Amino acid sequence: MNPPAPSAPPPEPPRARRGVRWLLWGALVALLLVAQSLLVGLTLSYEEARAQDRVDAVAAAASGEMRRQVQRSLQSAQSLTWNDPPLAQWHYDALEMLRQRREFLRMEMRDNDQKLLNAVETPFRSPVFGVMARTELEIEMQAACATARRVAAPQFSRSYFVPQAGGLGVEVVDLCLPLDRGGRPRGYMVATLALGQLLEDAANATAARDHELSLVEADGTRLVRAGLHRGTGVFHATRLVDLPGNSLQLRADAAQGRPGLIPNLTLALVVGLSLMLLGLVVLLARDVRRRAIAETALAEALAFRRAMEDSLVTGLRARDVRGRVTYVNPAFCAMVGFEAHELVGSDPPPYWPPERIDEYRQRQSERLSLRRDLSAQREGFETQFMRRNGERFPVMIYEAPLLDRVGHHAGWMSAVLDVSAARRMEELSRQQQERLQATARLATVGEMASLLSHELNQPLAAIASYATGSLNLVNEAGQQPGEAMAETVAMLRQALERIAEQAERAGRVIKSVHGFVRRRERSREAIGADLLIEAVLPLVRLQARKSGTRIEVECPKPAPRVWVDRTMVEQVLLNLTRNGIQAMEGDATPLDQRVLTLRVTQPHARWVHVTVSDCGPGIAADVAARLFTPFFTTREEGMGLGLSLCRTVIEQHGGALDFGPATPNGQGTEFRFTLAVPDPARHAAEPPVA
């Protein structure tokens, strides 16, 4: 018998494997934490030592600088006693010294009994002993002067507090210099110095911006302080400032507290790398999980996109860079009548009409040559496709570049719309538009006929009146002597000239109304507003004489010029004046009050106002609401076109036509319209109309 094969060791249980793995991870994390903790502790200790060293250096520098400041102040004070100057000269020199050195607050000259002979105050502040008299604060000064006389050298007194106005105060120290003349004492010079100013100068000189400097007593009482920041009391140092006869303690207190957990870049990098390693492990686990989620979402998105493309009524077609079809949706297949497998990869596509294959190939090659200019492929174009049954139909294609996952150009994606139904609707709309235009032309013919019949009434009536008058003059001419005959002939000539003018006017009316109905740009000219009124006055006065109306014209001299179609604006004036005269006929207005006023004003450099006002009963509210409505009239013989056409003419001139009561009490009616002033730059080359 063959010996049995050695059996493989039993597999380690999954729970045991997980326990070992977690144990290793725990040991690694524990080692990292211990190493990080030790590193942080050592770094913090090092940073604290560095901070304390910086405070010691600042304290040493500030104390040395303060000694130098005091020494310079002492030398400056001693310079005032050189050559034994007289009291007046000393006063002048002391005042100059106080202007130069701000630490000096007061200079005094005293005799051997320390009685005050002269004193000079600093000009930069109120007197230092203004609140409490100097005699009440002389104890420290007297002790310093006694010591100075005994040792024959300048001495500083102990510092003391001098109250100031407003509840404030200043900490000062007195410098006493003994004075001798020929070896015999002759008095003292006392200088009062501000400790705060001395400390501030020392702080500025040492650039101790992040530290608070203060002078303290032996028991820790703070006398004065300097610095931008308050000290935290964590890192501080004390130095002794030796002065002749006195010693001061200078304390430097750092504004910095204890170092944080990450005090420097090295520790920050180590901790940061450790955290990044842990973060990478976490991110790797999350990436695996996200990849699974992304694959699921991608499958769902593909299913959703396919369902969406299958539900579209717009055809979708994808082509590669060679122009071959790579994808079509069901809507495109239904549009052309071919299956997807018949279209993908076919060359030429079966939906191209055979007679246009060469044309389409040429167009496709041109578009393929522009593939580098991707922005040029986003325009839509119209072409023609063929269904399976051979029917040709128009389509609109909107094409955009198709990019792969790295952004390279891989072809084109096209949206194809069947526009055959839209073309049929356009043809029906075109036919309907032609019928509407024919109807509009018929309406224009009716409008022209109505307008001509309305506008030619006045010139034809004038012609008829002049013709009747001429016939009467001819009948009477045979019965008149020779002199009267000549006068009659002259009147006939004048009447015939008026008939010719009105006939010409009627011709202009027909021409202008024809152009008005066609809505073309009229031939306009620059003309004086007074000439427009003078042109219509004969006809206006003819109608006014029949009703007993008086005509008044108000026009400035020289009259403003306007840019108008003369004939059409004259027709507006005739219509408005005729309506005004007719409004005053009958019993509504007494004969002596029938006045029609034509007024021309220019309230603005670009506009001229023309006003036609009557003294009639006014316009009722219900009539005013419909006054400019076409074919609305209050007279049986009227057609209701006058005011509507007047407003249209004025608006075509760029102006506005409006109306209102002529007087504040509501009597009469005033029609107002505006006309444009000629533009000098536009009409400079045109001859003026006289």
Side-chain angles (χ1 to χ4, degrees):
M1 296 178 59
N2 294 328
S7 60
E12 189 177 357
R15 180 174 298 178
R17 290 199 303 269
R18 286 197 300 270
V20 173
R21 186 165 57 249
W22 281 110
L23 180 62
L24 293 176
W25 275 102
L28 178 60
V29 171
L31 290 175
L32 286 175
L33 290 177
V34 171
Q36 294 292 338
S37 300
L38 291 176
L39 182 59
V40 170
L42 292 175
T43 305
L44 289 176
S45 176
Y46 173 72
E47 290 297 325
E48 290 179 357
R50 287 185 59 191
Q52 185 62 45
D53 291 341
R54 286 195 295 270
V55 174
D56 292 338
V58 169
S63 62
E65 180 62 28
M66 190 167 182
R67 291 191 191 95
R68 287 189 290 273
Q69 292 282 352
V70 171
Q71 187 65 29
R72 285 194 291 269
S73 300
L74 176 59
Q75 293 174 358
S76 298
Q78 287 176 337
S79 65
L80 295 178
T81 63
W82 293 347
N83 301 325
D84 194 13
L87 193 60
Q89 181 64 33
W90 176 88
H91 183 91
Y92 175 79
D93 295 341
L95 183 60
E96 187 65 24
M97 178 68 68
L98 291 175
R99 290 194 182 97
Q100 295 177 1
R101 304 192 65 86
R102 290 177 175 264
E103 68 269 17
F104 289 110
L105 301 180
R106 178 183 172 96
M107 294 283 190
E108 298 176 352
M109 185 64 74
R110 295 176 177 268
D111 59 9
N112 287 329
D113 297 330
Q114 298 185 5
K115 292 182 180 180
L116 183 63
L117 300 178
N118 197 351
V120 182
E121 299 282 350
T122 179
F124 300 110
R125 54 174 298 163
S126 58
V128 64
F129 297 105
V131 175
M132 184 175 291
R134 175 60 165 165
T135 55
E136 300 179 8
L137 298 171
E138 291 183 346
I139 297 177
E140 302 297 341
M141 180 270 295
Q142 292 173 354
C145 287
T147 304
R149 176 61 64 189
R150 185 174 61 255
V151 299
Q155 294 292 310
F156 285 90
S157 70
R158 296 183 56 184
S159 64
Y160 59 94
F161 182 78
V162 180
Q164 300 293 300
L168 302 176
V170 60
E171 193 74 21
V172 300
V173 63
D174 289 331
L175 171 63
C176 185
L177 285 80
L179 303 178
D180 295 331
R181 179 181 298 170
R184 299 176 60 185
R186 66 177 185 85
Y188 305 91
M189 191 188 79
V190 179
T192 303
L193 291 84
L195 289 179
Q197 186 64 41
L198 290 173
L199 187 63
E200 189 71 30
D201 293 341
N204 294 335
T206 56
R209 296 182 178 85
D210 297 330
H211 295 75
E212 179 187 20
L213 299 180
S214 57
L215 294 176
V216 298
E217 294 183 343
D219 58 356
T221 303
R222 179 182 294 174
L223 301 177
V224 292
R225 65 166 300 275
L228 299 177
H229 304 282
R230 290 285 183 178
T232 59
V234 178
F235 302 105
H236 56 85
T238 304
R239 292 292 184 273
L240 191 64
V241 180
D242 292 325
L243 301 178
N246 190 13
S247 295
L248 299 174
Q249 285 189 354
L250 187 144
R251 175 188 174 99
D253 197 345
Q256 171 189 356
R258 294 195 177 278
L261 293 178
I262 304 179
N264 56 17
L265 181 61
T266 303
L267 184 58
L269 289 176
V270 173
V271 175
L273 290 176
S274 302
L275 294 177
M276 288 176 61
L277 180 61
L278 180 61
L280 287 176
V281 175
V282 174
L283 289 177
L284 181 61
R286 293 182 61 187
D287 183 73
V288 174
R289 182 171 176 271
R290 287 181 177 180
R291 184 180 294 273
I293 296 175
E295 291 176 354
T296 304
L298 179 60
E300 294 178 354
L302 289 175
F304 176 77
R305 193 204 70 176
R306 182 172 297 277
M308 180 179 63
E309 292 175 355
D310 293 345
S311 65
L312 288 176
V313 296
T314 301
L316 297 180
R317 177 193 66 180
R319 297 188 297 166
D320 59 15
V321 294
R322 297 182 179 180
R324 294 177 299 183
V325 178
T326 58
Y327 167 80
V328 289
N329 70 335
F332 187 87
C333 296
M335 185 185 302
V336 298
F338 295 95
E339 298 295 333
H341 67 274
E342 298 178 287
L343 299 176
V344 175
S346 59
D347 187 25
Y351 51 81
W352 281 6
E355 69 276 6
R356 308 188 70 174
I357 289 180
D358 295 337
E359 176 188 351
Y360 285 6
R361 286 189 184 278
Q362 179 65 25
R363 184 175 64 188
Q364 179 173 280
S365 62
E366 292 176 356
R367 294 185 64 80
L368 291 176
S369 64
L370 298 176
R371 63 185 181 181
R372 293 184 178 180
D373 186 10
L374 300 181
S375 61
Q377 309 299 325
R378 297 181 181 273
E379 299 179 357
F381 62 94
E382 185 175 346
T383 187
Q384 190 180 67
F385 282 175
M386 182 182 69
R387 306 188 199 273
R388 179 184 285 273
N389 58 7
E391 176 189 357
R392 273 68 169 171
F393 64 100
V395 294
M396 179 64 71
I397 300 178
Y398 297 93
E399 204 163 45
L402 185 62
L403 306 179
D404 59 13
R405 60 183 180 84
V406 295
H408 294 162
H409 181 221
W412 287 269
M413 174 60 71
S414 305
V416 183
L417 300 177
D418 184 355
V419 295
S420 56
R423 294 296 176 265
R424 288 193 295 269
M425 293 300 297
E426 290 177 0
E427 180 63 21
L428 293 176
S429 176
R430 185 187 62 80
Q431 297 175 2
Q432 184 68 19
Q433 185 68 21
E434 290 180 354
R435 288 193 290 269
L436 289 175
Q437 290 178 359
T439 304
R441 284 193 293 270
L442 293 176
T444 302
V445 172
E447 182 181 359
M448 182 181 293
S450 299
L451 182 60
L452 287 175
S453 63
H454 183 272
E455 296 297 338
L456 291 178
N457 279 336
Q458 291 183 356
L460 291 179
I463 291 173
S465 299
Y466 285 124
T468 302
S470 299
L471 290 175
N472 293 335
L473 290 175
V474 170
N475 293 333
E476 296 174 359
Q479 303 175 3
Q480 294 178 351
E483 296 179 359
M485 185 66 176
E487 183 179 354
T488 301
V489 171
M491 295 177 63
L492 283 173
R493 182 180 292 107
Q494 183 180 4
L496 292 176
E497 290 176 354
R498 294 296 185 183
I499 290 175
E501 291 177 0
Q502 295 303 319
E504 182 183 359
R505 182 180 191 80
R508 291 201 307 269
V509 168
I510 293 175
K511 182 179 179 181
S512 296
V513 170
H514 180 264
F516 171 70
V517 172
R518 292 179 60 189
R519 297 295 192 270
R520 66 172 179 82
E521 182 67 21
R522 271 162 249 300
S523 57
R524 299 181 183 178
E525 57 183 341
I527 187 174
D530 56 340
L531 298 182
L532 295 174
I533 296 178
E534 291 176 3
V536 300
L537 275 181
L539 294 177
V540 174
R541 289 195 176 100
L542 181 63
Q543 185 176 1
R545 282 196 297 270
K546 295 180 181 180
S547 61
T549 302
R550 187 171 71 256
I551 306 298
E552 294 183 357
V553 178
E554 299 178 6
C555 184
K557 297 294 184 179
R561 299 172 66 80
V562 291
W563 181 252
V564 295
D565 183 338
R566 179 172 183 172
T567 304
M568 296 306 295
V569 176
E570 288 176 359
Q571 293 301 316
V572 171
L573 284 172
L574 283 176
N575 285 338
L576 296 180
T577 54
R578 182 188 58 193
N579 291 343
I581 292 173
Q582 291 176 354
M584 293 184 290
E585 292 178 349
D587 299 333
T589 305
L591 189 60
D592 58 341
Q593 297 181 7
R594 296 180 183 179
V595 180
L596 183 71
T597 304
L598 284 77
R599 184 180 301 106
V600 177
T601 58
Q602 189 176 3
H604 191 272
R606 296 179 56 189
W607 297 101
V608 173
H609 286 191
V610 181
T611 305
V612 179
S613 57
D614 60 63
C615 299
I619 301 176
D622 56 340
V623 176
R626 305 175 58 192
L627 196 60
F628 294 102
T629 304
F631 302 106
F632 171 75
T633 180
T634 58
R635 296 192 298 272
E636 295 181 358
E637 69 279 6
M639 298 183 61
L641 290 174
L643 290 177
S644 175
L645 293 175
C646 287
R647 170 172 279 188
T648 303
V649 169
I650 296 301
E651 289 177 352
Q652 287 183 350
H653 280 74
L657 174 62
D658 199 2
F659 69 95
T663 59
N665 57 7
Q667 295 296 323
T669 304
E670 180 180 85
F671 282 86
R672 305 171 294 271
F673 62 90
T674 56
L675 297 174
V677 174
D679 186 359
R682 180 180 177 186
H683 314 300
E686 298 183 4
V689 178

